[in-house]
Amino acid sequence: MKDSTESLNFIEHIIEEDLANGFPKEKLRFRFPPEPNGYLHIGHAASICLNFGLGEKYQAPVNLRFDDTNPAKEEQEYVDAIKRDIAWLGFTWAEERYSSDYFQQLYDWAVQLIREGKAYVDEQTSEEIAAQKGTPTSVGTPSPFRNRPIEESLDLFERMKNGEFPAGSYLLRAKIDMASPNMHMRDPILYRIINKAHHRTGSKWCIYPMYDWAHGQSDYVEQVSHSLCTLEFKAHRELYDWYLDQIYDSSLLRPKQREFARRNLSFTVMSKRKLLELVQKKIVNGWDDPRMPTISGLRRRGYTPSAIRNFSEIAGISKRDNVTEVSLLEYCIREDLNQTATRVMGVLNPVKLVITNYPIDQTETLYLENNPEDPNSGTHEVPFSRELYIEREDFKEDGGKKFFRLSIGNEVRLKSAYIIKAESVLKDEQGEIIEIQATYDPDSKSGSGSEASQRKVKGTLHWVSISHAVKAEVREYDRLFLDESPDSHEDKNFLDFINPDSLKIIKEAYLEPYLSHATMDEKFQFQRLGYFTLDPDSQPGHLVFNKTVGLKDTWAKQNTETTVQPKPQSTVPQQPKRKALNEIQQISKKLTNLSGEKLENAIQSIQELAKEVSYDELEPLFNTAAKKVGTRIGVTLALGVMLKKGQQRNETMEAFIQSGLNDENEILRSAAEELT
């Protein structure tokens, strides 16, 4: 819960204003309404943390409601996964509800609309209906069935419910306004026929309500006070309210829809359809693959609920879509694990080290601090012997002056053990080093209190005793995509940007024996290597560890042209914000692949962003190549906003508008016509 002195996000401001205007606090009720058509991802975590966080802040109930209105895409598996993820994040819902609980009530209300002349059965194809809806800049054409007699629509609608017709043959549409500037109000579809069993209601229903019809009415049934949706539903708000107007009883609470920006993360995709494609094409190993942005994937990778909740808090709630750097998410898990993870030693690329002056049959027990950040964490035992494994990268025969690890003639300290000096090496026939021979200083044992133990050397290496080591498989993960916005390119498929090296499997890593008893709930820092967690694939005798994240962000250094590492100020890293013009360009690249409400939402986003762009910034894009139609549409839309604000016309601008008028693309032509 936020302290009262902290600044409120804009959603909290809305609620506080409602309370100040007399809304009873005891009537506050929220909900998290996922569609059970896929696993939840890090973007959903923003909505989960927002809704359940408000519930905690105002001590108000929060329902978990599954908007299960499309049995063609929904499965019980997804329901179970969603419940598991929310509980794992540490939230408890007041009631578990389903839109399917209200199918009969929704049907009855639809019949009421037909009787009142506010809905009708249409028998056109979806393509014909889409064509008649017009464009954002031109009015729609009424359906030839718009004035179908009420009794006929009632009869057809009942027969639709009874399963007498094949899918696609009939639809129920609301009769609103085909000339509305809001395309969602142009006789939207209320019901369609889907001849598929539902995961809860079985084959009882052959017709299913559209999301817009079911969503607001379900809010109303549950008496949700604040229905919080992502920005793509802002244009739906007018329809949300119109539907409520038809059934609202003034003695009951009327829900209020408000919108916030969805969470987008760099170097990943958030579309459940695209995530499903990754699973179906076996590019990843299921929804919980640790490379996936799903909550279950992050959990398997070793992320913690507190890290994800902290990420949601730092990233904040915004009114405008933007991209959050994945490095912020990684920062949050590092900060969390640094405080909680047990320090252990493991060697991933081993080379043998023999301490020639150490007794052959001797083994001694050393003690490794569990977590220096927690003085009460204690220690655990680590066996030490004559023959050890160290990382191959930690040794060079001739390291030079800038190599501070082990080399011939130089000294380093073995972590929590002794100072050693490399004397010689053994090599195989190919010239590869197979053994390093070293000597140790018996008086230099860490923590012994001797003068030698205080001696300073430039490097400290981790190690494991060969005779005690536990062999394990280690999976190291990198970002699944090489591009910051893999699904924003109009001329390429997002799969073109898959990182071929996103998974590296180390079959023979060697770990200290303490890890033989590791559990799924424990988190470990492999000293000098990163943070790791046990994978569910582990079996007795075959441990498998996943690398959660490195000790520091090396991606930013390796890829300075593609991403920017957020630099912490105090304890919170500041995120670089993408300029409005850049966001317009990213949205515009997708325009030619969009239609209907998705196209309208994109256009509205561009027009909103254009308010922050100057003409001097926009004019260079007038020379965009003709084949990049999406970008030219976006520039035209932005130019329209500037002209309405009083921007003076010039010859360069007129030439650009004329090129749009002559283009083959209908959307570009329509946008250009608005400027004439």
Side-chain angles (χ1 to χ4, degrees):
M1 186 185 303
K2 289 188 176 183
D3 187 89
S4 59
T5 60
E6 293 184 36
S7 61
L8 305 177
N9 63 50
F10 79 95
I11 294 292
E12 290 170 328
H13 274 295
I14 290 171
I15 295 171
E16 290 292 338
E17 184 177 344
D18 288 342
L19 294 174
N21 290 334
F23 186 89
K25 185 177 179 181
E26 64 273 13
K27 289 192 175 183
L28 285 176
R29 180 181 287 271
F30 307 97
R31 87 289 173 268
F32 174 63
E35 296 177 68
N37 58 0
Y39 281 55
L40 299 180
H41 54 61
I42 189 65
H44 294 112
S47 181
I48 294 171
C49 292
L50 173 62
N51 282 286
F52 284 96
L54 290 170
E56 292 177 354
K57 177 182 176 71
Y58 294 104
Q59 298 182 322
V62 184
N63 285 352
L64 169 60
R65 183 179 73 240
F66 293 95
D67 280 332
D68 53 344
T69 60
N70 186 358
K73 295 183 178 181
E74 296 160 358
E75 298 178 16
Q76 186 62 40
E77 173 194 351
Y78 298 141
V79 171
D80 296 338
I82 289 168
K83 291 165 62 176
R84 185 167 58 246
D85 287 346
I86 296 172
W88 177 76
L89 283 172
F91 296 113
T92 302
W93 49 90
E95 297 180 23
E96 181 179 326
R97 297 289 191 96
Y98 296 81
S99 291
S100 54
D101 293 337
Y102 318 129
F103 277 176
Q104 184 62 52
Q105 177 64 80
L106 292 168
Y107 176 81
D108 292 342
W109 277 329
V111 170
Q112 175 185 325
L113 290 183
I114 298 173
R115 292 189 186 282
E116 294 174 354
K118 297 174 181 177
Y120 61 95
V121 172
D122 199 333
E123 56 191 83
Q124 297 181 101
T125 64
S126 57
E127 292 77 15
E128 289 172 327
I129 292 173
Q132 289 171 355
K133 276 204 167 186
T135 70
T137 57
S138 61
V139 299
T141 303
S143 164
F145 303 98
R146 196 170 197 264
N147 294 317
R148 170 171 261 152
I150 289 174
E151 291 303 321
E152 186 178 336
S153 282
L154 287 170
D155 176 64
L156 287 171
F157 189 47
E158 183 176 4
R159 293 171 66 190
M160 287 167 60
K161 176 178 73 74
N162 294 336
E164 296 183 25
F165 305 120
S169 56
Y170 290 97
L171 297 161
L172 182 68
R173 298 177 67 181
K175 186 188 293 187
I176 308 179
D177 181 3
M178 291 301 292
S180 171
N182 184 343
M183 291 187 68
H184 298 291
M185 303 299 287
R186 297 183 185 180
D187 290 12
I189 297 170
L190 287 161
Y191 276 89
R192 73 283 205 208
I193 299 170
I194 301 179
N195 293 315
K196 184 174 176 60
H198 188 277
H199 69 99
R200 292 186 74 242
T201 61
S203 300
K204 179 179 179 180
W205 293 90
C206 298
I207 56 172
Y208 292 90
M210 296 297 289
Y211 179 87
D212 278 330
W213 173 239
H215 182 75
Q217 316 311 84
S218 298
D219 286 341
Y220 178 61
V221 171
E222 295 175 21
Q223 291 290 274
V224 169
S225 61
H226 294 77
S227 178
L228 306 177
C229 306
T230 45
L231 275 182
E232 62 263 34
F233 292 100
K234 186 172 184 178
H236 297 240
R237 193 199 296 181
E238 185 180 0
L239 179 58
Y240 181 96
D241 288 335
W242 188 90
Y243 282 153
L244 286 178
D245 287 341
Q246 312 315 309
I247 54 100
Y248 177 57
D249 179 343
S250 60
S251 67
L252 297 174
L253 181 147
R254 181 186 175 107
K256 172 192 290 188
Q257 177 180 304
R258 291 297 181 265
E259 306 82 18
F260 62 96
R262 64 187 301 172
R263 177 83 68 238
N264 295 305
L265 201 64
S266 63
F267 295 98
T268 190
V269 295
M270 292 297 197
S271 160
K272 279 194 280 189
R273 177 183 60 79
K274 291 176 180 176
L275 293 176
L276 177 61
E277 187 174 350
L278 290 171
V279 173
Q280 291 176 333
K281 292 185 175 179
K282 300 188 183 302
I283 295 170
V284 296
N285 299 314
W287 284 97
D288 68 342
D289 187 298
R291 292 166 291 180
M292 291 278 272
T294 54
I295 294 175
S296 57
L298 292 169
R299 177 169 64 244
R300 185 172 180 178
R301 186 161 175 165
Y303 276 73
T304 62
S306 57
I308 294 176
R309 291 176 68 159
N310 189 40
F311 168 71
S312 295
E313 179 72 19
I314 294 174
I317 299 298
S318 172
K319 293 183 179 181
R320 197 183 80 189
D321 282 331
N322 54 62
V323 177
T324 302
E325 296 291 337
V326 69
S327 49
L328 175 59
L329 178 61
E330 293 167 349
Y331 167 85
C332 290
I333 187 61
R334 282 193 196 93
E335 287 293 293
D336 187 24
L337 295 181
N338 182 52
Q339 301 296 319
T340 59
T342 300
R343 273 52 169 175
V344 295
M345 292 191 289
V347 176
L348 306 189
N349 185 18
V351 62
K352 186 177 182 181
L353 172 74
V354 178
I355 304 174
T356 57
N357 62 334
Y358 192 89
I360 294 178
D361 297 324
Q362 179 172 310
T363 296
E364 62 181 302
T365 300
L366 305 180
Y367 294 90
L368 197 63
E369 189 176 17
N370 285 335
N371 191 326
E373 302 295 323
D374 179 3
N376 299 317
S377 65
T379 61
H380 67 271
E381 297 179 352
V382 186
F384 184 86
S385 64
R386 172 187 171 94
E387 296 186 350
L388 311 172
Y389 283 132
I390 65 170
E391 295 288 349
R392 187 171 293 274
E393 293 79 6
D394 282 344
F395 177 78
K396 287 184 180 180
E397 286 186 82
D398 182 8
K401 294 182 179 180
K402 294 184 178 181
F403 186 72
F404 300 129
R405 286 170 276 178
L406 188 61
S407 57
I408 300 297
N410 287 335
E411 291 183 323
V412 297
R413 178 175 291 282
L414 296 176
K415 177 69 178 175
S416 299
Y418 299 94
I419 293 174
I420 62 170
K421 181 169 72 173
E423 306 287 355
S424 60
V425 297
L426 296 178
K427 300 181 180 180
D428 62 16
E429 294 178 355
Q430 287 73 42
E432 184 169 346
I433 296 171
I434 56 174
E435 183 179 301
I436 303 164
Q437 296 172 339
T439 56
Y440 85 118
D441 179 352
D443 297 324
S444 66
K445 184 177 179 180
S446 291
S448 65
S450 67
E451 184 177 336
S453 71
Q454 307 301 317
R455 186 154 53 89
K456 301 297 183 183
V457 291
K458 291 183 177 179
T460 299
L461 307 185
H462 61 279
W463 51 273
V464 293
S465 169
I466 291 178
S467 60
H468 303 89
V470 176
K471 189 164 73 172
E473 177 181 320
V474 171
R475 299 169 182 173
E476 292 189 315
Y477 297 96
D478 203 344
R479 297 175 187 181
L480 186 57
F481 295 96
L482 294 171
D483 188 83
E484 183 179 22
S485 301
D487 56 352
S488 67
H489 301 267
E490 55 185 319
D491 55 342
K492 290 186 178 180
N493 187 287
F494 77 104
L495 296 178
D496 294 340
F497 300 100
I498 289 290
N499 179 3
D501 301 315
S502 62
L503 171 60
K504 175 185 176 184
I505 299 178
I506 300 169
K507 291 291 187 181
E508 294 189 7
Y510 293 92
L511 315 177
E512 61 170 275
Y514 177 78
L515 286 164
S516 62
H517 303 294
T519 65
M520 298 293 177
D521 294 331
E522 293 179 287
K523 310 300 176 191
F524 302 96
Q525 183 196 105
F526 288 12
Q527 302 228 25
R528 301 175 61 237
L529 298 176
Y531 295 98
F532 293 77
T533 193
L534 197 66
D535 186 84
D537 286 344
S538 292
Q539 298 176 357
H542 180 67
L543 296 178
V544 180
F545 282 87
N546 293 326
K547 184 174 183 178
T548 305
V549 70
L551 295 179
K552 57 184 179 180
D553 187 355
T554 58
W555 179 275
K557 294 180 180 179
Q558 297 169 4
N559 302 272
T560 54
E561 294 182 359
T562 56
T563 187
V564 178
Q565 165 74 347
K567 296 180 180 180
Q569 292 181 358
S570 301
T571 60
V572 180
Q574 300 299 309
Q575 286 299 297
K577 292 187 177 179
R578 184 178 291 179
K579 285 186 176 181
L581 183 60
N582 291 341
E583 291 194 41
I584 288 174
Q585 289 177 276
Q586 291 297 323
I587 297 171
S588 298
K589 290 176 182 179
K590 305 177 185 179
L591 285 177
T592 54
N593 296 321
L594 303 178
S595 60
E597 61 187 62
K598 291 184 178 179
L599 174 60
E600 182 185 0
N601 291 338
I603 288 173
Q604 291 180 347
S605 295
I606 290 171
Q607 291 171 331
E608 186 67 26
L609 288 164
K611 297 175 183 177
E612 302 177 28
V613 178
S614 70
Y615 178 76
D616 289 340
E617 289 180 291
L618 189 69
E619 186 178 289
L621 294 181
F622 289 176
N623 296 319
T624 299
K627 66 179 181 178
K628 295 184 177 180
V629 179
T631 300
R632 293 171 64 213
I633 296 170
V635 173
T636 305
L637 293 167
L639 180 58
V641 173
M642 294 178 186
L643 288 172
K644 288 180 181 178
K645 290 168 62 178
Q647 176 66 43
Q648 294 296 312
R649 292 177 177 263
N650 58 46
E651 291 183 5
T652 304
M653 184 192 303
E654 295 295 349
F656 174 70
I657 295 172
Q658 188 60 47
S659 69
L661 293 170
N662 296 333
D663 199 90
E664 296 179 355
N665 185 276
E666 180 184 351
I667 302 174
L668 178 55
R669 285 202 313 274
S670 295
E673 286 170 0
E674 288 290 309
L675 309 187
T676 57

